Amino acid sequence: DSGVTQTPKHLITATGQRVTLRCSPRSGDLSVYWYQQSLDQGLQFLIQYYNGEERAKGNILERFSAQQFPDLHSELNLSSLELGDSALYFCASSVAGGTADTQYFGPGTRLTVL
Amino acid sequence: ILNVEQSPQSLHVQEGDSTNFTCSFPSSNFYALHWYRWETAKSPEALFVMTLNGDEKKKGRISATLNTKEGYSYLYIKGSQPEDSATYLCASLYSNYQLIWGAGTKLIIKP
């Protein structure tokens, strides 16, 4: 158990809908990362937050947005969902988001868009 | 576009044999190289973080080396065991905090 929690574990929804995925980092970690893993694809980095501020942006679609709250938990919002958004979404956290920081991954949220 | 490549894509190794695989990354503006182990139905787990050219890290039977000038890292597993079966991911961090992940090497240990 990495100490990173993600809810829900599974989510099934329809195209065009909007969902929110939630992540609580390990106690004391200030940085949160979001990743997408689609079928037969590697991990795609979406976005990183550090202490409430956006630090780095990867291949995140405009339909997706994220935020990190004062209590350091983070939410990833996915809107106008398409079939291709079906994937496993991981959240990870690290102490400070520095160059040599280890990232600790949560169990993931599996999103299925029908 | 930054691209991290891992080879081979998959590898079958007899139990007890040693093995190694490669992570290649652009060396310009490089900050750190991460190795993770990802077992099926679990989350990625950190193995090593390396930053300096010539760095070597070891954890039990697994070790890694880093060459930042030529942009590659090797992961070695000595005396493979069935529990080593997993996908091994590397990720390279750059000065803009972009962490670029390779597609992984899937290692299967045959008993």
Side-chain angles (χ1 to χ4, degrees):
Chain A
D1 183 0
S2 66
V4 178
T5 59
Q6 289 187 248
T7 56
K9 270 191 175 172
H10 302 276
L11 197 48
I12 300 174
T13 188
T15 54
Q17 295 298 303
R18 174 190 166 94
V19 297
T20 297
L21 312 184
R22 185 189 165 103
C23 168
S24 292
R26 289 187 328 153
S27 178
D29 284 0
L30 297 177
S31 206
V32 167
Y33 310 76
W34 284 100
Y35 293 93
Q36 179 193 57
Q37 194 228 348
S38 303
L39 195 65
D40 294 334
Q41 301 243 335
L43 276 176
Q44 297 292 318
F45 167 65
L46 296 178
I47 197 162
Q48 178 198 357
Y49 280 84
Y50 172 69
N51 206 20
E53 303 280 329
E54 183 184 303
R55 174 168 273 188
K57 217 168 188 174
N59 301 321
I60 188 165
L61 299 172
E62 282 190 20
R63 300 184 286 108
F64 296 2
S65 65
Q67 52 184 326
Q68 186 180 26
F69 295 87
D71 67 353
L72 301 175
H73 91 271
S74 178
E75 292 180 357
L76 178 68
N77 301 296
L78 315 176
S79 61
S80 303
L81 284 167
E82 301 174 359
L83 294 177
D85 297 327
S86 294
L88 189 53
Y89 291 85
F90 283 108
C91 164
S93 74
S94 70
V95 171
T99 55
D101 276 6
T102 295
Q103 292 184 28
Y104 295 88
F105 281 76
T109 292
R110 182 165 294 284
L111 173 67
T112 303
V113 182
L114 301 174
Chain B
I1 294 177
L2 296 171
N3 197 33
V4 172
E5 294 186 0
Q6 290 189 247
S7 62
Q9 201 170 13
S10 67
L11 193 52
H12 288 72
V13 173
Q14 200 67 42
E15 182 178 351
D17 286 353
S18 297
T19 187
N20 65 83
F21 26 92
T22 308
C23 172
S24 301
F25 54 89
S27 52
S28 181
N29 297 318
F30 166 86
Y31 267 22
L33 194 285
H34 295 245
W35 279 102
Y36 283 80
R37 183 169 174 275
W38 194 2
E39 286 183 73
T40 304
K42 293 189 178 179
S43 309
E45 263 183 71
L47 286 172
F48 307 112
V49 180
M50 295 182 288
T51 55
L52 299 175
N53 186 44
D55 250 357
E56 283 190 41
K57 294 273 175 97
K58 191 173 179 184
K59 192 186 253 188
R61 293 179 292 99
I62 305 178
S63 59
T65 60
L66 179 67
N67 182 322
T68 60
K69 292 184 179 176
E70 295 179 46
Y72 64 84
S73 175
Y74 293 133
L75 190 82
Y76 300 90
I77 302 179
K78 192 175 174 183
S80 304
Q81 299 297 309
E83 59 264 29
D84 296 329
S85 294
T87 295
Y88 291 82
L89 297 169
C90 69
S92 189
L93 181 71
Y94 294 90
S95 54
N96 59 354
Y97 292 103
Q98 285 280 340
L99 188 63
I100 311 297
W101 292 77
T105 291
K106 185 170 183 177
L107 178 64
I108 298 163
I109 307 300
K110 299 179 286 185

